[in-house]
Amino acid sequence: MAVSPKGLPLLIHLEMLLAALCLQSLEAEGAVPKQEVTESSLAVINHSIALLQRLESLLAQDNTSDVALRVQTAGSDRVRVFQAHVLLLSLQSDVLQDLLHSHSSGTLILEETPSCADVFDKFIRYLYCGEITVHLDQALPLHKLASKYHVWALRTGLSLYMTQHLAVDMPGGHVVGWYQYAVEAGDLALRDSCLQYLAWNLSSVIRSTEWTGLDEELLLTLLQRSDLVLHSELELFEALEVWMEHNRPDALTAESALRAIRYAMIPPLQLFRLQKHSAVLTRYGESVHDLLHMAYQFHSASPLQLAKYFSVNCSIFASRNYLSPAWGSPWVISNPARDDRTSSFQTQLGPSAHDASKRITWNALFSPRWLSGGPRSTLMEQGAMLGGHTDAVTAPSEGQPHITIAPATSSADLSAVSFQKTVIVFARQQGKEMVRQIYNFHQSTDEMSSFLADADLQQHTSEYLIDGSLYLHIVVKPLYHSLVVARK
Ligand SMILES: *[C@@H]1O[C@H](CO)[C@@H](O)[C@H](O)[C@H]1NC(C)=O
Ligand SMILES: *[C@@H]1O[C@H](CO)[C@@H](O)[C@H](O)[C@H]1NC(C)=O
Ligand SMILES: *[C@@H]1O[C@H](CO)[C@@H](O)[C@H](O)[C@H]1NC(C)=O
Ligand SMILES: *[C@@H]1O[C@H](CO)[C@@H](O)[C@H](O)[C@H]1NC(C)=O
C-alpha cells in the first residue's frame, strides 16, 4: 500500500485499536474452555461505541492523515479538501482503493458535480463511522456518490430512504427526477418503487406540477400499466391532453400515447363528445380511428358477442383500477383487529354500454383472523356467524386477515363473465394519504393468502392504518376471458 511517512502514526494507531479489540474478544471467548464453565462467567467487554467515536475524530485530526482528497467541480473554482486515511477509504470503497493504489502523491483529485460536492463531507463521515443523517434534497447526490464509489450498504440504505419518502411534498415534486436518476444509475428497485408510486397515486400526480414534467418514456411506460389508480379512463385522457399541450411531442410519440388510452372504458356519450371537441383528437384522430371504432363496437354489443369476432382479452378492453363508483366502493373499517365485518355495494356488470344498466350487488366480508380450511368457509356461513359467536373462534395470534367478495345473487349474466377483484389499501405516509398496497385476486380464495400478511392491524400507529382504521377501496373488474391472468 502506498503510504506516506506521515501516514505511519495512523496505521499504528489503528492497528493498536484493532489489536485491542481482538484481545478483548479473545478474553471474552477464548480464555474459558466451553464445557467446564457456566454461562454466567461469560462477559462481553464492549467498547465499540468508543472506537467509532475515535475513528470519527480521526477525520478532524489532520496530523494523522496520509492522503488529501481534493474535491472539485468542473467549471467552478470551488474546491473542498478533506484530510483522510488510505486504510479507512480502502476498507469502505474498492473504487477509492484502486484510485489510491495507482496514485503516489499525497493528494487525490476527485471531480464531482456541484450537488455531490455539497454533500461530500457527509459522505466521507459515513465512511469513517457508518452513520449519516439525510435530508430529502441530499438523498440523490449521496446516492450518486455511494454508487460511484461502490459503497453498497449506503446505496441500499439511501434507496430505502427514498422509497419511504416518495410521498413527501417538495415544490415541483421529486419522484419523477428520482425515477429518471434511478434509470440512469441502474437502481432497479428504486426505479420500480418510483414507478409504482406514480402509477398507484396517479390521480394526484396528474393534478400536480410534476405531471407535465414527465418525459416521453415515463409517460408511455405509465400509460401501458393496468394497475393505474385513478378516477376513470376519461381522467387519464384529459391528463394526456394537458401533457401534450405542454410538451408538444412529435407525431410518433403523440400517436403512441393516444393509442395507449383504453377508449372502450370511456362511455360512448363521452367518447362522442371527445371526438367532437378534443383538439388533440381533431389533430391525431386518424391514428386512433381503428381504436375508436372498436370502442363503439364494444359498447354496442355484449362483450361475449364481440368475443366471437375479435380477441376481447387484449389490454384495450381491460379496466384499470378506477375509483369511480361504477367500479367499486370505498370501505373504511375502524378497529380492524376487533372482529369480522361485512359490507355490500353495487357495480356495473361491465364497462360496455351494453351492460351499463345492469348492476351486481356484492357482499364483502373482512375477517382479521381467518383460519384457512376451517369450518367457516362460505360467505353465507360467515354472514350467519356474524349474529353473535364469531369471537368463539380463536386467540388473536391465530389466523390471518382475509377478505371475501362474492356476488349477492347469481344471475345468467354472471355465468359468462369472471371478475377480478382488487383491494386497494390506503395508508398515510409523511402525513399524506397514499396507496400502500394493492391486492388482486379472482374467485379462488387461495390467491388471497398474502392479503395484509405483513400488516399490523392491532396498533393504532400501524403503517397500514389511518387513525386506527383500515381504508380500503374495492374495485371489481370484469374479465372476458378466463385465460387472462392478473397482471400488474
Ligand atoms: C456492543 O455495543 C453496541 C452498542 O451498544 C451494540 O450495538 C453491540 O451489539 C455490542 N456488541 C456486543 C458483542 O455485545
Ligand atoms: C494530533 O493532534 C491532536 C490534537 O489535535 C493531538 O492530540 C495528537 O496527539 C496529535 N497526534 C499526532 C500523532 O501528532
Ligand atoms: C388472449 O387470448 C388468447 C387465446 O384466445 C391468448 O393466446 C392470448 O395470449 C391472450 N392475450 C392476453 C393478453 O392475455
Ligand atoms: C396519493 O393518492 C391519494 C388518493 O389516491 C391521495 O389522497 C394522496 O394525497 C396522494 N398522495 C400524494 C403524496 O400525492
Side-chain angles (χ1 to χ4, degrees):
M1 191 186 303
V3 176
S4 68
K6 217 182 149 202
L8 239 45
L10 159 78
L11 286 179
I12 292 163
H13 184 107
L14 265 181
E15 272 160 16
M16 277 162 57
L17 276 172
L18 295 175
L21 205 68
C22 289
L23 264 180
Q24 282 169 13
S25 60
L26 276 180
E27 279 161 13
E29 298 171 69
V32 279
K34 258 192 185 141
Q35 280 106 330
E36 294 169 27
V37 186
T38 57
E39 287 288 314
S40 62
S41 65
L42 260 179
V44 178
I45 296 169
N46 187 349
H47 299 148
S48 58
I49 301 257
L51 173 62
L52 274 183
Q53 280 165 354
R54 298 190 77 162
L55 289 179
E56 192 195 342
S57 67
L58 278 181
L59 251 189
Q61 287 171 18
D62 44 14
N63 55 358
T64 62
S65 158
D66 55 355
V67 64
L69 298 183
R70 203 180 141 89
V71 177
Q72 55 191 40
T73 305
S76 149
D77 305 336
R78 198 164 154 244
V79 172
R80 300 182 83 180
V81 178
F82 299 90
Q83 298 299 337
H85 305 88
V86 172
L87 176 66
L88 264 163
L89 299 180
S90 305
L91 207 61
Q92 293 279 37
S93 155
D94 59 0
V95 174
L96 283 173
Q97 183 173 34
D98 290 347
L99 286 173
L100 291 164
H101 262 291
S102 58
H103 194 82
S104 49
S105 90
T107 301
L108 183 63
I109 295 174
L110 303 173
E111 286 284 347
E112 306 296 346
T113 63
S115 59
C116 287
D118 282 344
V119 294
F120 207 89
D121 53 338
K122 279 183 171 259
F123 175 67
I124 198 163
R125 182 180 174 273
Y126 171 87
L127 298 184
Y128 275 70
C129 63
E131 181 204 285
I132 194 163
T133 324
V134 186
H135 290 289
L136 198 61
D137 55 347
Q138 296 169 332
L140 202 144
L142 282 170
H143 192 289
K144 273 186 197 167
L145 288 174
S147 305
K148 176 174 173 186
Y149 295 110
H150 294 183
V151 186
W152 302 123
L154 176 60
R155 178 174 142 132
T156 307
L158 288 163
S159 292
L160 187 67
Y161 166 87
M162 290 161 93
T163 302
Q164 289 165 345
H165 289 79
L166 294 170
V168 182
D169 245 342
M170 276 236 284
H174 56 291
V175 181
V176 169
W178 283 1
Y179 167 83
Q180 276 148 2
Y181 164 72
V183 171
E184 286 162 27
D187 186 334
L188 302 188
L190 180 60
R191 181 200 66 186
D192 292 346
S193 300
C194 293
L195 208 48
Q196 181 175 285
Y197 172 82
L198 293 170
W200 288 5
N201 231 51
L202 199 69
S203 268
S204 38
V205 173
I206 281 172
R207 276 180 244 111
S208 73
T209 49
E210 203 157 19
W211 175 250
T212 47
L214 249 64
D215 67 14
E216 292 171 3
E217 185 265 349
L218 179 51
L219 178 82
L220 292 175
T221 305
L222 281 173
L223 289 177
Q224 304 302 330
R225 292 176 71 122
S226 292
D227 66 341
L228 301 182
V229 177
L230 74 175
H231 190 260
S232 64
E233 193 72 14
L234 183 63
E235 184 185 24
L236 187 61
F237 179 85
E238 289 169 349
L240 178 58
E241 279 184 310
V242 171
W243 185 91
M244 285 171 74
E245 276 159 30
H246 197 272
N247 287 279
R248 310 236 156 246
D250 60 31
L252 200 66
T253 306
E255 283 171 21
S256 315
L258 282 168
R259 290 190 71 81
I261 295 291
R262 302 183 179 176
Y263 297 97
M265 299 297 119
I266 302 177
L269 259 179
Q270 291 176 355
L271 211 50
F272 189 62
R273 203 175 303 138
L274 285 185
Q275 254 186 311
K276 296 289 152 224
H277 299 295
S278 155
V280 161
L281 274 191
T282 308
R283 179 150 175 217
Y284 295 104
E286 268 314 300
S287 56
V288 292
H289 194 261
D290 55 331
L291 295 179
L292 291 173
H293 183 69
M294 252 200 274
Y296 288 119
Q297 285 180 316
F298 176 77
H299 285 303
S300 59
S302 86
L304 293 162
Q305 283 168 295
L306 276 184
K308 292 182 190 140
Y309 303 102
F310 50 85
S311 162
V312 283
N313 70 345
C314 59
S315 67
I316 57 169
F317 298 117
S319 43
R320 311 192 206 239
N321 293 320
Y322 302 128
L323 298 177
S324 73
W327 305 116
S329 168
W331 188 12
V332 179
I333 302 171
S334 56
N335 291 322
R338 204 179 61 209
D339 49 23
D340 292 4
R341 294 325 141 79
T342 54
S343 165
S344 172
F345 59 93
Q346 285 198 324
T347 61
Q348 188 174 312
L349 175 63
S352 164
H354 180 268
D355 294 330
S357 60
K358 297 180 190 149
R359 292 280 180 282
I360 313 172
T361 303
W362 300 89
N363 285 334
L365 176 122
F366 169 79
S367 172
R369 290 176 291 278
W370 169 279
L371 292 174
S372 58
R376 316 180 302 148
S377 51
T378 72
L379 192 62
M380 293 306 126
E381 282 164 14
Q382 285 286 349
M385 291 198 73
L386 285 177
H389 27 167
T390 33
D391 40 4
V393 196
T394 45
S397 58
E398 292 176 66
Q400 277 226 344
H402 187 91
I403 196 162
T404 317
I405 300 152
T409 52
S410 62
S411 96
D413 284 333
L414 290 179
S415 59
V417 191
S418 73
F419 294 90
Q420 182 188 307
K421 293 125 191 181
T422 296
V423 181
I424 302 170
V425 181
F426 292 91
R428 193 175 281 157
Q429 202 189 59
Q430 314 298 325
K432 296 185 86 187
E433 255 177 57
M434 60 173 290
V435 174
R436 177 69 178 77
Q437 193 53 270
I438 295 184
Y439 299 93
N440 289 311
F441 62 112
H442 295 271
Q443 320 286 23
S444 140
T445 49
D446 292 346
E447 289 175 60
M448 276 306 268
S449 59
S450 66
F451 181 62
L452 291 175
D454 326 312
D456 171 8
L457 300 179
Q458 305 274 351
Q459 302 295 321
H460 199 262
T461 52
S462 162
E463 54 174 331
Y464 279 84
L465 303 182
I466 300 175
D467 299 328
S469 298
L470 188 57
Y471 277 69
L472 306 179
H473 193 111
I474 302 172
V475 182
V476 178
K477 295 178 256 187
L479 299 173
Y480 300 114
H481 197 288
S482 52
L483 293 177
V484 180
V485 259
R487 295 179 62 191
K488 272 217 151 183

